[in-house]
Amino acid sequence: MMFGSINSSGAVIDCIAEGSAYDIVLPNQTERVQNIAVDIGGSLAKVVYYTTAAVGRQGGGRLHFKAFETDHLDLCIEFMCGLVDRSRIRDPTDGPPAEPVIMATGGGAHRFGAELRSRLGVEIRVVDEMESLTAGLNFLMREVADEVFTYSEARGQKFVSPVSEAEDLFPYMLVNIGSGVSILKVTGEGQYERISGTSLGGGTFWGLLHELTGVTSFDAMLETTKSGDNTKVDMMVGDIYGTNYDKIGLKATNIAATMGGVYRKGLDKQYSDADIARSLLYMVSNNIGQIAYLNAQLHGIRRIYFGGYFIRGHPLTMHTLSYAIDFWSKGMISALFLRHEGYLGATGALLRGEAAPTRRRACSFTENFSVAEPAAGDSSGVSALGMLDQQADRLERLPQLALPYVPDTVDLAADEGQRLAWLAALERSAHELVALVERGALDAGSSDHVGTEDRVDAGRIRAFSILYARHLQRLGAQPLAYGALTVRGILGLREQCLREVGLGDVFAAVKRRETKAALVALPQCVAQTDVLAERERLLALLGNALAGNMFDWGASELHGALASGALDLAAARERISYSPQRLNNPGAFADRVIAEGYRKVLVFVDNSGADVVLGVLPLARVLTQTGATVVLAANSRPALNDVTEGELKDIVAEAALVDESLAAAVEEERLLVCASGSAGPCVDLRRLDPRLVALAQAADLVILVGMARAIVSNYHARFTCDSLRIAVFKNKMTADAASANVFDSLCLYVPGGGSRE
Amino acid sequence: MSTSTSTFSDDQPLIVGYVPDKSTERKEHPLAAIIRNASESKAHENEHLGAAWGAKKAIRKLEWFGDSEHERVVYALWFLTSDFIKFAQRVKDNRELKPTHTIRAFATGGGALRLQTEIKEMLGVELVIVEELQALTNGWRVDAESLADSEGPVAYPSLVCNVGTGVSLVSVGAAHGDYERVSGSGLGGATFWGLVQRLTQFTSFSEAVTAAELSGDPGQADTLVGDIYGVETSKAIGMPADLVAGFLGKLGEGKATDADVVAALLRMVTNNLGQLAVFQARLMGVNEVWFTGGFVQSASEAPDDNVGRIVRQAIARAVSFWSAGAIQTRFPPDALLLGALGAVATSLDSFSQAM
């Protein structure tokens, strides 16, 4: 495996830099194990387990995925022994942990049940295979952002937007291809029926190919198919008719009969093992595709998911299944595949347990790729799975979001120029982060009261840099390894890697320092705009918000100025060119505020320091003066120097101490701070903290502040209410994507329901 | 008047069907004599050749296609397509068959196009190509309607599943020329035979199928539920231990004899046919499926052959399994001859339509 080094074989990554070795323990990899499930199939044994922090990380749990060859079940059992031990870790705040129960499914659950029981010394509870598969699929489809995809040779892998509503999810058909093929119809949670199947599946392919070619491993067989030419062993339509058979829509290149050419002396076909392998792969895939389609027709189902060991990410297999479904449905239905297809059963079995994490309360999961495993049995090695981090709340969609919604502005997998530029820029910025840490630039200044937690550990930051660089390299080589490739995804991954090496908030001290300085400047800043007439005041406030947005540690272009403290609001204003016109209409916004005002404004804020204190707060203050209630949505968890919910609450409280107008707004609960639900610099407006969604119900204006929230993501988002974007194009990639220049501004007001351009 | 038609495809023999005119009906037609001589002289010839040459006479109504007679005697001759040159040479050498003018013959099958020039050059016969499924469905109509008196009227639309080299599922309506290939599969007769040839020592279709029937145990080659779960657990989870989980999945274990392998291949191919046919029948809302084609009635045998019976039974079992007995399997009496019969009928049909 090309990038096997990213996989966590243990809880340690070895980092060798500048001649010295660091052993960095990944703290989150040694947490207490709460639930264990195993799916023992004919070829692979898949383990899914759920961990929680030994000392209560709030609501946070994590699902892990791990696969073993069934032939080496010993390794799997050994691994599970370790998990059972970790399940007995005592939580000081809790009573003794409950005796572990292992949920088991798959054919091997019966066969190896007794062995598991005796060797692990715990209770093994067997869950029905079909029940596990469907429970797992329902869960993964809902919770994993890039779970479902279509595949064809011409178009490659295309991810399908996740569905959250039950009516969009059901009914569907799951075609599970193992030794044989099971076809399940799923009409709801826990409602499924095996409607059909065939015994002509992976086992047939395996048996025939083994006997015909002597190849003994499944992967070797699949490898062989890549170079094979089935037309050398198959009877093609062209072999019979010499041409297309147009009347019935058969092309000369269609297969008339699999293996029908091997005995035809007249055709004198010369063939190799690889040709037979490809022919048989086509036979089995085509046939399954056809039977699946016929079943879908009979049951009036339009969504067909394919899973099981036979597929294992093998492009040619997926292509053939897709081709068959496309052919028979005349392009009306696409075959759907799953990134976690190998883990459906184990995941479902885990969720069927009485102590399953999803049973306790509503929650959401986010895939965390900082420690990524190759997808179970993924023969092509291009797909990897992260861990699933649990949030204590069920994330929800912004009610004012117009559909369809795609959060990301650029698809980096499709746009090579943007991809290379972003990957290079992000790698550079990681190096710069290391340099900043080594210079002590991110530590608190000497005048501050400095706790040791404020000193960013240089060893850890180097470990981060190595871990993150490996991910960037992998994504450079295999852009779809972690699902759809977007700037939002990579920026999120960066935060995940930082947290994974134990660096929760590297900018904590910087943020405090800058916020403190900005709060000092706040009264004067407010006084300067308060003297202006209403329209000029609004325009000046928008200008300040843009200028504040220059105080961004995420922008490499500004590190020097930020670190030296040379950037003040006035200087920042100077660097922005307030163009192009098509992206800037602050006057229209001001007129709208003056004419009607807003009842409730939702602001997605960006950086701490000058940005939020001198840019956003004064604007929010004036809006509250016009009678609006303003909800400031800040990150739930740290990302770059973005202000977090907790920090912003403190900022608002401190600002209220020096400004009467703000104090009144806070007092009257017309200035509120709420967590956005986001843990990265970008925002996915389908996944917001439910408290924020509740507050947002009556909002008639949404303001998106900053490059990550307004340009890199949500640039194309449309809203049913008015919206305002405030950001500066601070690098070439974002400027290019919008046909703008670096340091151009985006101050764009869009009335509700309208499109941006 | 005599119309001779031919059907060609690669694994089925070339079949010449013709309707003799009244004057020649009572004595043996010279073409039939050629076939009879060839099969009688098989001791002196390549045995394989002789065995594949045959002739058959049937009485059929062709009124639907505009024939003026109530009933007709229809002859069919067959021999391997690869023997075409030998056959043509004998026709050429036969004085009685010397044509005085250019004969037009209706021809169908994949090989018809390919041999068109050769036939013109050697025999002076000009082929009028009949589209294969048209010939098949017309032939099926003649054959199926011949059962109407004894088994009741044919229901339209009907589902005809033609299993030759590959598989075509055709919906046939009541009107002239009303047919549509609604589905098909590349997993057909040639796949079965290709795999038999690659996996066993058998060199003849009938030998292989007969051996499978006599001594083959497909369970030696197929992965059974019992192989996965064990017999006891299978019982415990309520699945029959002898249910097939994966066709041919145990082939690699080397325990299966040649007869076992053929039995397993036959079960796999017929089971799949049955499944496709049953699903298609349900989609069409019909309760019977007609099976035709060389695989259903092996060509090298007499029409009432034992090998054909084995295959037909296997198909009927599969249809019954997948439909839980709700869908009937039907075979036209002369499955082998349908293409040629259909070409004959088409020639009459096109004549009457032209009027």
Side-chain angles (χ1 to χ4, degrees):
Chain A
M1 202 65 56
M2 192 173 172
F3 293 98
S5 54
I6 305 182
N7 314 327
S8 65
S9 52
V12 167
I13 44 169
D14 53 328
C15 306
I16 299 164
E18 295 156 21
S20 53
Y22 299 86
D23 275 356
I24 303 299
V25 175
L26 300 179
N28 294 332
Q29 296 292 306
T30 53
E31 293 174 337
R32 184 161 79 163
V33 173
Q34 298 273 33
N35 308 73
I36 308 169
V38 62
D39 172 6
I40 310 179
S43 312
L44 290 177
K46 283 85 60 174
V47 180
V48 175
Y49 61 101
Y50 176 79
T51 58
T52 51
V55 180
R57 188 174 69 206
Q58 183 207 351
R62 177 176 275 185
L63 281 170
H64 309 251
F65 303 88
K66 183 98 186 150
F68 301 85
E69 303 261 344
T70 302
D71 286 346
H72 301 119
L73 197 63
D74 264 358
L75 292 176
C76 176
I77 293 176
E78 217 169 276
F79 180 78
M80 286 201 290
C81 278
L83 295 181
V84 168
D85 288 345
R86 278 173 57 195
S87 75
R88 294 185 169 126
I89 297 172
R90 214 189 154 93
D91 185 337
T93 64
D94 220 354
E99 218 9 59
V101 174
I102 293 181
M103 309 300 289
T105 188
H110 297 281
R111 219 164 112 196
F112 300 105
E115 188 179 347
L116 289 180
R117 211 164 274 128
S118 73
R119 291 199 39 199
L120 296 170
V122 297
E123 187 188 341
I124 309 289
R125 201 169 299 158
V126 176
V127 186
D128 175 79
E129 202 169 347
M130 301 303 154
E131 188 181 329
S132 302
L133 281 176
T134 54
L137 179 52
N138 290 343
F139 169 79
L140 291 163
M141 270 193 297
R142 281 200 173 107
E143 297 300 338
V144 181
D146 295 325
E147 181 60 24
V148 180
F149 62 92
T150 60
Y151 183 86
S152 73
E153 272 171 1
R155 298 181 63 239
Q157 201 174 1
K158 292 275 172 225
F159 292 94
V160 177
S161 290
V163 284
S164 50
E165 314 299 329
E167 58 265 34
D168 297 332
L169 207 60
F170 306 111
Y172 68 80
M173 220 168 80
L174 171 62
V175 181
N176 194 54
I177 314 175
S179 209
V181 182
S182 288
I183 299 179
L184 306 181
K185 174 183 169 181
V186 185
T187 50
E189 202 63 61
Q191 294 171 332
Y192 62 91
E193 183 193 354
R194 185 185 191 278
I195 50 172
S196 193
T198 167
S199 306
L200 213 164
T204 310
F205 175 72
W206 168 278
L208 281 172
L209 207 53
H210 176 82
E211 192 67 6
L212 288 169
T213 67
V215 178
T216 53
S217 103
F218 198 74
D219 284 337
M221 287 182 194
L222 287 177
E223 192 56 39
T224 310
T225 60
K226 287 182 188 162
S227 61
D229 175 1
N230 68 300
T231 65
K232 292 185 174 164
V233 289
D234 291 347
M235 172 75 80
M236 310 306 287
V237 168
D239 290 333
I240 301 177
Y241 299 101
T243 172
N244 292 348
Y245 190 172
D246 294 323
K247 170 89 183 151
I248 55 174
L250 290 177
K251 290 186 231 157
T253 50
N254 285 139
I255 298 165
T258 293
M259 293 294 288
V262 296
Y263 61 92
R264 223 51 67 80
K265 286 201 193 80
L267 295 177
D268 196 26
K269 294 201 171 191
Q270 303 289 315
Y271 53 87
S272 67
D273 286 355
D275 303 331
I276 293 178
R278 196 175 182 113
S279 162
L280 292 175
L281 178 70
Y282 277 1
M283 174 183 87
V284 173
S285 308
N286 272 330
N287 198 62
I288 293 169
Q290 183 173 15
I291 287 172
Y293 171 71
L294 286 168
N295 270 296
Q297 285 292 97
L298 281 168
H299 292 269
I301 293 174
R302 297 187 47 79
R303 257 188 298 270
I304 311 176
Y305 297 93
F306 287 89
Y309 182 72
F310 180 68
I311 296 172
R312 44 185 357 204
H314 185 56
L316 196 57
T317 311
M318 294 192 291
H319 174 76
T320 320
L321 289 167
S322 296
Y323 179 88
I325 295 295
D326 185 69
F327 178 85
W328 291 112
S329 72
K330 298 187 170 67
M332 298 302 288
I333 302 181
S334 295
L336 300 172
F337 303 96
L338 301 154
R339 279 180 51 244
H340 284 83
E341 60 94 354
Y343 288 104
L344 302 183
T347 306
L350 186 116
L351 298 176
R352 303 313 288 169
E354 272 152 35
T358 50
R359 294 216 166 181
R360 277 173 242 146
R361 62 157 85 89
C363 58
S364 281
F365 289 80
T366 304
E367 195 162 12
N368 182 329
F369 288 100
S370 59
V371 179
E373 288 280 338
D378 174 17
S379 63
S380 54
V382 297
S383 185
L385 301 176
M387 308 164 291
L388 290 183
D389 283 351
Q390 184 188 25
Q391 275 117 315
D393 297 298
R394 176 90 211 149
L395 300 179
E396 293 170 17
R397 181 155 57 83
L398 180 71
Q400 289 82 357
L401 195 58
L403 300 178
Y405 168 72
V406 177
D408 304 291
T409 308
V410 176
D411 176 357
L412 293 183
D415 188 333
E416 195 189 8
Q418 285 271 339
R419 177 170 76 244
L420 298 178
W422 272 107
L423 288 172
L426 291 167
E427 191 170 355
R428 218 164 38 236
S429 107
H431 290 311
E432 283 161 7
L433 182 64
V434 175
L436 287 172
V437 169
E438 287 177 346
R439 285 212 311 272
L442 300 188
D443 296 336
S446 55
S447 61
D448 282 302
H449 172 73
V450 187
T452 47
E453 71 274 14
D454 286 338
R455 183 142 294 129
V456 179
D457 184 303
R460 288 190 192 279
I461 201 77
R462 266 176 231 130
F464 153 76
S465 148
I466 291 167
L467 181 64
Y468 183 56
R470 285 185 197 162
H471 286 297
L472 292 179
Q473 275 168 30
R474 174 190 268 188
L475 291 170
Q478 299 165 345
L480 295 175
Y482 302 156
L485 185 62
T486 61
V487 181
R488 176 173 60 97
I490 306 176
L491 290 175
L493 173 61
R494 171 191 156 115
E495 299 304 325
Q496 290 172 341
C497 288
L498 282 166
R499 280 196 282 277
E500 209 58 28
V501 298
L503 295 171
D505 191 357
V506 287
F507 286 97
V510 171
K511 287 191 285 186
R512 249 196 323 275
R513 190 170 67 212
E514 293 183 353
T515 295
K516 194 173 174 186
L519 279 168
V520 170
L522 180 65
Q524 194 199 347
C525 185
V526 167
Q528 278 171 359
T529 50
D530 275 353
V531 297
L532 299 172
E534 192 173 14
R535 192 168 193 277
E536 280 60 45
R537 185 190 313 147
L538 281 164
L539 293 176
L541 289 168
L542 291 173
N544 281 351
L546 283 170
N549 204 234
M550 295 286 277
F551 293 82
D552 180 0
W553 286 82
S556 302
E557 283 77 356
L558 299 170
H559 277 177
L562 285 171
S564 69
L567 196 74
D568 62 35
L569 208 57
R573 271 199 300 266
E574 293 294 305
R575 294 193 63 173
I576 301 169
S577 60
Y578 298 88
S579 62
Q581 221 175 353
R582 66 187 159 85
L583 298 180
N584 292 277
N585 60 352
F589 175 70
D591 294 341
R592 169 66 178 79
V593 174
I594 294 163
E596 287 183 62
Y598 287 100
R599 289 189 308 278
K600 192 183 253 184
V601 182
L602 183 60
V603 189
F604 288 90
V605 304
D606 186 6
N607 306 304
S608 65
D611 188 347
V612 72
V613 177
L614 304 180
V616 174
L617 262 189
L619 178 64
R621 172 178 172 272
V622 166
L623 288 171
T624 60
Q625 286 168 357
T626 66
T629 297
V630 177
V631 180
L632 302 174
N635 260 30
S636 299
R637 303 184 72 178
L640 297 169
N641 65 324
D642 294 355
V643 68
T644 63
E645 176 208 10
E647 290 163 348
L648 187 52
K649 280 184 170 154
D650 291 346
I651 289 171
V652 170
E654 285 190 42
L657 293 178
V658 297
D659 184 278
E660 283 179 14
S661 176
L662 282 172
V666 171
E667 175 69 22
E668 292 159 21
E669 294 189 345
R670 287 192 296 109
L671 181 60
L672 304 163
V673 175
C674 187
S676 66
S678 179
C682 298
V683 173
D684 180 346
L685 296 171
R686 296 164 305 189
R687 289 170 62 86
L688 300 178
D689 191 292
R691 283 171 292 262
L692 179 65
V693 171
L695 284 175
Q697 285 306 330
D700 48 359
L701 172 67
V702 173
I703 301 180
L704 294 160
V705 180
M707 192 170 83
R709 287 165 188 80
I711 300 175
V712 170
S713 62
N714 301 313
Y715 188 68
H716 297 301
R718 290 171 301 114
F719 301 89
T720 55
C721 67
D722 288 5
S723 62
L724 176 68
R725 289 171 173 80
I726 302 172
V728 179
F729 294 93
K730 280 169 289 192
N731 66 33
K732 192 169 175 330
M733 290 81 75
T734 48
D736 284 353
S739 305
N741 295 309
V742 175
F743 297 128
D744 273 357
S745 60
L746 171 71
C747 184
L748 188 66
Y749 160 71
V750 180
S755 77
R756 194 183 48 76
E757 272 157 321
Chain B
M1 168 199 144
S2 146
T3 308
S4 79
T5 68
S6 316
T7 172
F8 309 90
S9 82
D10 273 76
D11 61 340
Q12 289 169 55
L14 182 150
I15 297 170
V16 181
Y18 60 95
V19 182
D21 59 34
K22 285 274 180 213
S23 60
T24 59
E25 208 172 81
R26 295 180 61 181
K27 66 173 194 186
E28 188 181 37
H29 194 280
L31 281 171
I34 288 174
I35 297 291
R36 183 171 49 75
N37 289 336
S39 38
E40 280 170 6
S41 66
K42 67 182 175 189
H44 314 291
E45 304 249 1
N46 177 340
E47 191 169 308
H48 188 58
L49 178 149
W53 289 44
K56 187 183 165 161
K57 186 167 94 170
I59 309 238
R60 287 288 178 269
K61 295 176 186 174
L62 299 173
E63 286 169 296
W64 195 80
F65 294 96
D67 188 25
S68 54
E69 299 293 320
H70 177 60
E71 281 183 336
R72 284 284 194 177
V73 174
V74 180
Y75 281 92
L77 320 169
W78 58 89
F79 50 89
L80 284 178
T81 302
S82 52
D83 289 339
F84 171 72
I85 301 287
K86 285 176 191 161
F87 174 77
Q89 196 58 49
R90 285 168 203 219
V91 172
K92 250 178 118 172
D93 295 346
N94 189 312
R95 283 168 194 283
E96 284 183 75
L97 287 166
K98 271 278 180 291
T100 53
H101 54 91
T102 305
I103 298 171
R104 282 170 74 230
F106 285 73
T108 189
L113 273 174
R114 222 178 50 230
L115 289 172
Q116 207 168 8
T117 318
E118 237 172 327
I119 288 173
K120 177 85 193 280
E121 278 167 8
M122 289 196 69
L123 302 176
V125 173
E126 206 165 286
L127 295 189
V128 179
I129 305 293
V130 181
E131 195 269 317
E132 198 171 353
L133 287 183
Q134 185 179 13
L136 169 79
T137 52
N138 277 343
W140 165 81
R141 205 188 292 275
V142 172
D143 223 24
E145 291 286 356
S146 76
L147 300 174
D149 291 343
S150 55
E151 299 179 15
V154 179
Y156 293 99
S158 263
L159 176 59
V160 178
C161 180
N162 189 58
V163 194
T165 303
V167 183
S168 286
L169 288 100
V170 189
S171 166
V172 187
H176 285 248
D178 179 6
Y179 64 91
E180 186 193 356
R181 184 181 192 269
V182 286
S183 194
S185 170
L187 215 164
T191 310
F192 170 75
W193 186 228
L195 286 171
V196 168
Q197 297 243 18
R198 279 301 314 252
L199 292 167
T200 72
Q201 302 296 315
F202 291 115
T203 54
S204 115
F205 187 90
S206 60
E207 191 193 335
V209 173
T210 309
E213 165 89 342
L214 285 177
S215 64
D217 172 8
Q220 297 300 314
D222 293 341
T223 302
L224 306 177
V225 167
D227 294 324
I228 297 178
Y229 292 105
V231 176
E232 286 309 310
T233 310
S234 305
K235 255 185 230 157
I237 59 176
M239 286 171 87
D242 62 352
L243 193 70
V244 183
F247 288 119
L248 301 166
K250 278 195 305 204
L251 213 50
E253 291 175 17
K255 285 184 202 146
T257 65
D258 279 4
D260 297 337
V261 172
V262 177
L265 285 170
L266 186 64
R267 179 153 85 172
M268 175 181 86
V269 172
T270 55
N271 186 77
N272 200 61
L273 283 171
Q275 187 173 15
L276 293 179
V278 164
F279 287 168
Q280 195 60 52
R282 284 201 187 132
L283 281 175
M284 288 169 58
V286 299
N287 56 15
E288 60 180 24
V289 186
W290 293 81
F291 282 87
T292 64
F295 185 64
V296 170
Q297 191 135 31
S298 71
S300 59
E301 311 293 330
D304 55 346
D305 69 306
N306 190 45
V307 173
R309 178 188 57 77
I310 296 167
V311 174
R312 288 192 292 274
Q313 279 176 354
I315 289 176
R317 258 199 308 277
V319 170
S320 171
F321 174 82
W322 284 107
S323 68
I327 291 173
Q328 302 304 308
T329 309
R330 300 192 69 182
F331 300 96
D334 282 314
L336 172 66
L337 311 180
L338 293 189
L341 200 55
V344 172
T346 306
S347 69
L348 294 169
D349 203 27
S350 58
F351 183 67
S352 71
Q353 301 278 307
M355 302 276 283

